[in-house]
Amino acid sequence: MAAFSESAETLIAARALLGVAGATLMPSTLSLLRNMFQVERERTLAITVWMTGFIVGSAIGPLVGGALLEFFWWGSVFLLAVPVMVLLLLVGPWLLPEFRDEQAGRLDLTSALLCICAVLLLIFGIKDSARDGLNLLASSALLAGLLVGTLFVRRQRRLAEPMFDLALFRQPAFSVSVAAMMLCILALSGAWLLIFQYLQGALGMTPLQAGLVMLPSALLQTAASLLVPRMARWLAPRVLISGGLLVAVAGFVALLLIGRYPGPGLMVLATVLLGIGIMPMMILGTDLVIGSAPPEKTGAAAATSETATEMGMALGIAVIGSIGAAVYRYRMLELMPPGLSDHQLEVASDTVGGALGLASHLPDALAAAVMSAVQVSFTQALQTNALIGAVVMLGAAWLTGRYLAAVRPGH
């Protein structure tokens, strides 16, 4: 459905269905790992292998997707998942064990609707206010989102079997890990949103070339993930996690220098530092989340962790991404050459893709001036997002260093 969509509405609907399917992945697989591996060291190693699967996928995805985009239409990238899903449907029933909570409550559709409405209203309000300023529509959406979110939390506290088990947050290791992972993904997603656009829009790379630039980060992330269990035997989680997050802060600092040096070398360094620095948080944080919950509540704990990371990604794109988009828009309006119509100015300042499309239909001198404005404007947008990401990541490093002190090496 996504591959052959002919409108934005159809594509959004298909992506929503994919989101519903994808939301089952992490809670289910983590719940299986928690029950299959009872020894802590074995569980940490299993989670490491599990996380490495995501990293290898992130390495293969841009490369294969970039190659497909070189020769086929944009929808071909969605077809990559079809054989994988068919394989899972065929072998999953025979290979995957079954664990269930016999005391699990009924599905709470009311709570689910309240949660979804709160998130959508808040994100819409943030995005709309970033694009058009704080207007009546955006303010109403934000207030409505906060109200619905408050109703959701109050409902969870009243229910005997809540959809979102707030009692899990009484465990410091659980609550700190969930909060830190949300902050890390929030910081990363705001910058990561612009990195591929920068490589292809500002530097003029093809999708395949942009995927090759990101390959060193994915390879070194894989190597770093395999070292985390060994290092966790000797270093306390707070030292390993907060130290890794400081390495990620250095990656954001490298992004701040983008534009001063030509070529993609600094981008490679920045993404490598970001990738390596985040791995202890994602592996040990996930281990702490599911390890601190009772076995029958592992699915709920994993779902809470997944919700936090998805929320961090959504807010990172909505908040930090919108700030970067605003910086790009304002700088483009300042730097655009004279001789363009109001419509052309609006198109070029809205997105990089719009600016590239406009430049392809302009005379050479005017097109060169537009592309120069794109490079300066988008570089400053990326630097702005990197600065915000560095501050957020530094806060996550302080949070884990301060409140995970009770967790010892190997536990």
Side-chain angles (χ1 to χ4, degrees):
M1 181 178 175
F4 297 100
S5 296
E6 295 184 355
S7 67
E9 291 77 13
T10 305
L11 180 60
I12 291 172
R15 293 291 291 150
L17 291 174
L18 291 174
V20 172
T24 68
L25 183 63
M26 286 185 71
S28 299
T29 51
L30 282 177
S31 185
L32 289 174
L33 292 180
R34 175 68 172 85
N35 288 279
M36 290 168 62
F37 300 95
Q38 301 293 332
V39 180
E40 290 184 0
R41 284 187 179 180
E42 292 181 354
R43 187 182 68 235
T44 302
L45 181 59
I47 291 175
T48 301
V49 175
W50 174 85
M51 184 64 69
T52 303
F54 283 93
I55 300 167
V56 173
S58 70
I60 296 174
L63 287 175
V64 179
L68 286 173
L69 292 176
E70 292 282 339
F71 303 104
F72 303 101
W73 89 112
W74 62 268
S76 63
V77 296
F78 291 103
L79 299 180
L80 285 174
V82 174
V84 180
M85 292 298 101
V86 171
L87 180 64
L88 176 61
L89 290 173
L90 291 176
V91 304
W94 286 274
L95 295 181
L96 297 177
E98 183 70 30
F99 297 98
R100 13 175 121 246
D101 180 6
E102 299 299 336
Q103 281 74 45
R106 296 180 301 173
L107 292 176
D108 187 359
L109 295 180
T110 302
S111 293
L113 288 174
L114 287 173
C115 180
I116 292 172
C117 289
V119 172
L120 290 179
L121 286 168
L122 288 172
I123 291 179
F124 174 80
I126 293 170
K127 294 284 286 184
D128 192 69
S129 59
R131 179 181 177 85
D132 300 321
L134 191 60
N135 51 55
L136 180 61
L137 179 61
S139 302
S140 301
L142 290 171
L143 290 175
L146 291 174
L147 176 61
V148 175
T150 302
L151 292 175
F152 170 77
V153 173
R154 293 184 64 180
R155 178 178 174 83
Q156 303 314 297
R157 289 177 174 174
R158 290 198 313 266
L159 293 176
E161 297 174 342
M163 186 190 82
F164 194 72
D165 194 350
L166 299 176
L168 292 171
F169 286 90
R170 295 171 185 167
Q171 293 283 346
F174 177 89
S175 57
V176 171
S177 297
V178 168
M181 282 194 289
M182 183 181 73
L183 290 174
C184 291
I185 297 300
L186 187 151
L188 281 175
S189 59
W192 223 259
L193 174 69
L194 301 187
I195 285 177
F196 273 100
Q197 296 183 60
Y198 177 82
L199 292 174
Q200 296 180 60
L203 297 187
M205 293 184 176
T206 65
L208 181 57
Q209 290 171 335
L212 289 172
V213 169
M214 304 303 291
L215 184 60
S217 171
L219 294 176
L220 291 175
Q221 263 187 289
T222 303
S225 68
L226 298 176
L227 292 175
V228 169
R230 293 182 177 274
M231 298 176 68
R233 298 178 186 177
W234 311 106
L235 295 175
R238 70 162 181 165
V239 175
L240 190 52
I241 291 174
S242 58
L245 296 183
L246 291 178
V247 173
V249 171
F252 281 117
V253 172
L255 284 178
L256 289 173
L257 302 176
I258 293 288
R260 297 186 180 183
Y261 303 96
L266 201 55
M267 180 66 77
V268 172
L269 174 62
T271 54
V272 165
L273 292 175
L274 288 171
I276 292 176
I278 201 68
M279 288 317 300
M281 177 74 258
M282 302 312 296
I283 292 175
L284 297 181
T286 303
D287 194 13
L288 288 171
V289 164
I290 68 170
S292 59
E296 68 276 7
K297 294 296 183 182
T298 304
T304 303
S305 172
E306 168 72 354
T307 301
T309 54
E310 292 291 343
M311 181 68 75
M313 184 176 298
L315 291 177
I317 294 173
V319 179
I320 305 178
S322 294
I323 293 173
V327 171
Y328 169 78
R329 187 177 303 114
Y330 294 140
R331 289 294 289 149
M332 281 292 289
L333 292 175
E334 291 178 355
L335 298 175
M336 287 291 280
L340 298 176
S341 67
D342 291 341
H343 176 69
Q344 290 175 321
L345 289 174
E346 182 180 355
V347 169
S349 62
D350 193 26
T351 64
V352 175
L356 296 178
L358 174 65
S360 64
H361 294 89
L362 294 175
D364 291 343
L366 203 55
V370 170
M371 291 306 302
S372 176
V374 167
Q375 291 179 353
V376 174
S377 301
F378 206 81
T379 298
Q380 292 189 4
L382 179 61
Q383 291 170 340
T384 301
N385 283 18
L387 179 60
I388 299 172
V391 174
V392 174
M393 193 70 75
L394 197 60
W398 174 85
L399 181 67
T400 54
R402 173 68 176 82
Y403 291 103
L404 289 181
V407 185
R408 303 301 178 191
H411 295 275

